Amino acid sequence: MLQSYREELTQLEEKSNLRTLPEIVHRGRDVIRQGRQMLNLSSNDYLGLASELALRKAFLERLTPECFLPSSSSSRLLTGNFTANGELEELLCRLYKAESSLVFNSGYHMNTGILPAVSNSKTLILADKLVHASLIDGIRLSPAKFLRYRHNDCEHLESLLCRNHADYERMIVVTESIFSMDGDEADLRRLVMLKKSYPNVMLYVDEAHAVGVRGEKGLGCAGEQGCIDGIDFLTGTFGKALASVGGYILCRRVIRDCLINKMRTLIFTTALPPVNLMWTRFVLERLEGFNDRRDYLKKISLYLKGQLAAKGYECPSTSHIIPVMTGDSRKAISKAEDMQRKGFYLLPVRPPTVLEGTSRIRISLTASVRTDEVERLISLL
């Protein structure tokens, strides 16, 4: 009975696409694996806050045994809706000047749960070809019809909107702001303009890789491009640049109420522990003050991309996520292993995470990376 599983794993190994869980030890900005200490360039800790000891110490000084609650012990609809939930959601509304917000256990819960809850058989979802797997899963779980438009191709999207808008009660355009594998970004202003051209179109934007990093106040690409108000489902995560855990949406109150009543990944799961919510709020309250980190991250990202271009690498990135394309999975593994031997913890990204023939190593820059380390990275690449 188990032989088919073994054969499937063998096939993955033969294609150099077999995955295993890495055994690593974290030491500040670095990781230790197999006795080798390496600079971590595979983390989503974009602002360097997760490795910031002083920030953790300041938060711990606020805790008492009474307020340190490591478990909610229930779903939010039962007894898991603590004061910390409401305080965090109120803060999100103030920061974004939004009508309402809702916090979820993870970005994956968020993206797999929202679309099934807000669509029906008379809905058409139009998704960018390269949206994250969690959004694809949410689309597949929904009762909606769906089509994919070519990556960041607004002309193709516009043609699909024009062709289909009369046949559906509602159409939802789904995109990320910064795409997690290529590091490029969507033209959110253009998407908002397209949305406003049709009365039955809504816009869903996942800011997972932009929140904290982009915009004068760290509110992501929507804040940077001045179009927060034009987005119906503005989502993000706390588990990347904000060094915490969970996901969130900014939306109209009627949408929030629908999610509370229909979103299975919210209803049927134990809520986040209050101590995690308190830490998230602690970081969010300081978000505007991290401009120096955002500016530095932008500076080293631009420099690295420029130097890679000079070496002949083609790079679509406009952000701190910088792919170095290899095409073949074996080449990606070999390149990653070589960089690890030289002190940089880089990992291969292979199918099904990316399309066949587009394997790569993914450089994930953070504000804790020094300029001399960027220089050494460039010389080794």
Side-chain angles (χ1 to χ4, degrees):
M1 192 193 314
L2 299 178
Q3 184 58 29
S4 62
Y5 298 126
R6 295 190 184 97
E7 290 173 357
E8 188 173 352
L9 292 171
T10 299
Q11 290 171 8
L12 288 172
E13 187 171 18
E14 289 172 351
K15 294 180 179 179
S16 296
N17 289 332
L18 183 67
R19 289 160 169 76
T20 59
L21 293 175
E23 295 181 5
I24 57 176
V25 175
H26 290 267
R27 184 171 292 173
R29 309 174 314 139
D30 297 346
V31 296
I32 301 172
R33 185 179 185 187
Q34 297 176 341
R36 183 186 296 126
Q37 186 162 336
M38 299 166 281
L39 177 64
N40 188 358
L41 291 179
S42 295
S43 167
N44 295 328
D45 181 26
Y46 301 134
L47 293 179
L49 301 179
S51 59
E52 185 64 48
L53 188 59
L55 195 67
R56 298 202 298 272
K57 285 182 177 179
F59 174 70
L60 289 173
E61 288 173 359
R62 293 184 166 199
L63 288 183
T64 65
E66 289 75 26
C67 70
F68 174 68
L69 298 172
S71 174
S72 66
S73 305
S74 179
S75 75
R76 288 189 68 177
L77 271 71
L78 297 178
T79 63
N81 196 40
F82 287 76
T83 303
N85 294 91
E87 290 173 343
L88 177 55
E89 288 166 352
E90 287 172 11
L91 175 58
L92 284 166
C93 288
R94 288 200 303 273
L95 290 174
Y96 284 89
K97 296 180 173 57
E99 185 175 311
S100 69
S101 69
L102 193 60
V103 169
F104 312 109
N105 284 23
S106 70
Y108 189 83
H109 270 177
M110 172 183 77
N111 283 334
T112 55
I114 292 173
L115 287 169
V118 299
S119 60
N120 56 32
S121 60
K122 299 178 182 178
T123 301
L124 175 66
I125 295 174
L126 297 167
D128 187 288
K129 181 69 175 175
L130 296 186
V131 292
H132 191 263
S134 58
L135 285 164
I136 297 300
D137 289 349
I139 292 168
R140 287 173 172 170
L141 288 168
S142 79
K145 306 263 190 324
F146 76 93
L147 297 170
R148 310 286 289 277
Y149 63 91
R150 291 188 292 269
H151 177 52
N152 274 342
D153 189 336
C154 288
E155 285 74 21
H156 187 214
L157 172 61
E158 187 170 12
S159 71
L160 292 174
L161 289 171
C162 181
R163 193 182 311 152
N164 292 282
H165 75 94
D167 298 329
Y168 292 91
E169 181 181 280
R170 180 188 304 117
M171 294 193 292
I172 304 175
V173 176
V174 178
T175 186
E176 297 177 55
S177 57
I178 293 178
F179 288 83
S180 59
M181 289 298 115
D182 284 357
D184 57 348
E185 59 192 276
D187 185 346
L188 298 184
R189 290 195 192 100
R190 177 82 182 276
L191 292 176
V192 168
M193 288 177 61
L194 280 177
K195 186 205 84 160
K196 290 180 177 178
S197 300
Y198 301 92
N200 61 335
V201 175
M202 305 178 83
L203 180 57
Y204 186 124
V205 177
D206 185 353
E207 292 258 51
H209 295 272
V211 65
V213 174
R214 299 296 281 271
E216 185 180 348
K217 297 182 179 180
L219 299 181
C221 292
E224 186 176 58
Q225 297 183 33
C227 57
I228 291 174
D229 291 345
I231 300 169
D232 302 283
F233 309 92
L234 182 58
T235 67
T237 58
F238 303 126
K240 294 180 173 63
L242 301 185
S244 188
V245 63
Y248 64 90
I249 185 172
L250 287 307
C251 58
R252 302 298 295 270
R253 179 162 292 280
V254 65
I255 292 175
R256 183 183 192 271
D257 291 343
C258 282
L259 294 176
I260 290 171
N261 283 275
K262 296 177 64 180
M263 185 173 167
R264 295 173 67 84
T265 55
L266 172 73
I267 297 169
F268 299 109
T269 190
T270 299
L272 284 171
V275 69
N276 292 106
L277 299 167
M278 292 169 63
W279 165 251
T280 301
R281 183 185 171 199
F282 178 82
V283 174
L284 265 180
E285 287 171 339
R286 288 152 179 78
L287 184 59
E288 191 172 347
F290 296 134
N291 269 335
D292 56 338
R293 295 178 185 242
R294 283 187 279 275
D295 291 343
Y296 176 71
L297 181 59
K298 181 179 180 179
K299 176 184 174 182
I300 61 172
S301 300
L302 287 170
Y303 179 66
L304 176 56
K305 284 178 288 190
Q307 292 299 306
L308 288 175
K311 285 176 175 281
Y313 284 102
E314 292 185 12
C315 180
S317 173
T318 58
S319 70
H320 50 285
I321 299 169
I322 303 170
V324 178
M325 309 299 290
T326 64
D328 181 72
S329 293
R330 292 176 182 84
K331 290 181 180 178
I333 293 171
S334 176
K335 189 72 170 176
E337 289 175 345
D338 180 53
M339 296 304 294
Q340 289 175 23
R341 284 191 294 270
K342 294 169 180 174
F344 292 99
Y345 190 59
L346 288 166
L347 296 173
V349 180
R350 299 158 288 165
T353 305
V354 293
L355 297 174
E356 288 285 350
T358 67
S359 292
R360 68 203 62 188
I361 58 171
R362 176 181 178 269
I363 302 171
S364 185
L365 287 178
T366 75
S368 63
V369 177
R370 301 191 308 266
T371 53
D372 64 294
E373 292 166 331
V374 176
E375 291 283 4
R376 183 164 181 266
L377 176 65
I378 290 166
S379 69
L380 292 173
L381 284 170

